[in-house]
Amino acid sequence: AQKVTQAQTEISVVEKEDVTLDCVYETRDTTYYLFWYKQPPSGELVFLIRRNSFDEQNEISGRYSWNFQKSTSSFNFTITASQVVDSAVYFCALSEAIVNDYKLSFGAGTTVTVRA
Amino acid sequence: DTAVSQTPKYLVTQMGNDKSIKCEQNLGHDTMYWYKQDSKKFLKIMFSYNNKELIINETVPNRFSPKSPDKAHLNLHINSLELGDSAVYFCASSPGKGLADEQYFGPGTRLTVT
């Protein structure tokens, strides 16, 4: 079963529009971490944010903001006033314990295209 | 300075061949990973090593064999390549193997099997 679901496969917006990427996760653990990564056209994955399961405070970093809601198992990501450079594939990921170790499970990614 | 580097960046080869991909990190991290990203962009972990010891070995064909000569290097050798092995392979590293550790990714190696 998919641990992390990103229901939106592709989103296309015009520059300066806001865009929200949905992420829903599934885990039985009480302690876990959630991440967002960005994969621009150049291909390399870039870490954006980490959030632990006990911290439901929303976070804002420049034009990026994240909304973590444990009640709905969601960790959504909003880009405000999008720019062409925001065009990328965005991945949500869940880090949880497995047997004697930890594992990062990625969602399928959402491709964001920002048109000038 | 490149934090996580992979060579080669592109690899085109024929079915049945054996090939290797190399990965090096200069971050001083203890844990390294191999991921496979398929044509639909889905990322799946294959292996992880912590201080040269294998800690995660997902359901991957035996044709794939990772080797970690030291904690800064993790190589991936693939025997008898098949068409389905075509993908982008990413190496990554993290400070530890903990729940909270963010992973730093290399630029990827695009493998095409013809």
Side-chain angles (χ1 to χ4, degrees):
Chain A
Q2 187 77 324
K3 291 279 189 176
V4 179
T5 301
Q6 294 179 253
Q8 305 141 308
T9 307
E10 293 183 25
I11 300 176
S12 181
V13 297
V14 176
E15 224 174 0
K16 296 184 185 170
E17 285 184 0
D18 296 348
V19 57
T20 295
L21 311 182
D22 298 333
C23 172
V24 173
Y25 62 92
E26 181 186 326
T27 181
R28 293 180 184 172
D29 291 354
T30 54
T31 304
Y32 52 89
Y33 280 75
L34 295 161
F35 297 79
W36 276 94
Y37 283 84
K38 173 182 179 180
Q39 186 176 34
S42 57
E44 195 162 331
L45 280 103
V46 177
F47 164 78
L48 294 178
I49 191 172
R50 166 185 47 225
R51 173 67 66 202
N52 78 55
S53 52
F54 298 105
D55 182 2
E56 285 194 73
Q57 246 186 339
N58 289 337
E59 175 126 357
I60 297 175
S61 175
R63 296 183 297 104
Y64 294 172
S65 62
W66 290 270
N67 182 347
F68 175 32
Q69 291 195 350
K70 260 175 113 164
S71 58
T72 55
S73 296
S74 65
F75 186 40
N76 298 337
F77 172 30
T78 298
I79 304 172
T80 303
S82 60
Q83 299 176 1
V84 172
V85 292
D86 296 326
S87 296
V89 183
Y90 291 87
F91 292 95
C92 181
L94 166 70
S95 177
E96 57 180 343
I98 51 157
V99 192
N100 298 319
D101 218 297
Y102 305 103
K103 179 178 158 184
L104 191 64
S105 299
F106 284 85
T110 297
T111 300
V112 173
T113 303
V114 181
R115 308 186 309 275
Chain B
D1 274 352
T2 304
V4 183
S5 59
Q6 295 178 227
T7 53
K9 191 164 171 63
Y10 299 96
L11 189 50
V12 181
T13 188
Q14 291 186 329
M15 280 174 58
N17 284 348
D18 303 340
K19 290 293 177 187
S20 291
I21 307 172
K22 295 188 176 183
C23 177
E24 176 181 2
Q25 54 96 2
N26 62 7
L27 298 166
H29 287 170
D30 286 341
T31 308
M32 295 184 74
Y33 311 80
W34 277 112
Y35 286 87
K36 179 180 180 180
Q37 185 174 46
D38 63 23
S39 58
K40 295 184 179 176
K41 299 282 188 183
F42 189 68
L43 265 167
K44 192 170 182 343
I45 188 159
M46 300 172 70
F47 303 102
S48 74
Y49 273 73
N50 178 259
N51 281 317
K52 304 195 299 175
E53 280 192 39
L54 181 68
I55 53 173
I56 291 179
N57 183 351
E58 289 291 285
T59 310
V60 175
N62 291 339
R63 299 180 295 103
F64 290 80
S65 52
K67 279 194 175 53
S68 182
D70 55 60
K71 73 174 194 177
H73 296 84
L74 180 62
N75 304 323
L76 183 65
H77 188 76
I78 316 170
N79 288 324
S80 304
L81 278 155
E82 300 178 356
L83 292 176
D85 297 332
S86 295
V88 181
Y89 292 84
F90 285 97
C91 177
S93 72
S94 63
K97 56 181 180 127
L99 197 63
D101 285 335
E102 71 198 59
Q103 295 182 17
Y104 295 77
F105 284 78
T109 295
R110 183 174 293 277
L111 171 65
T112 304
V113 183
T114 60

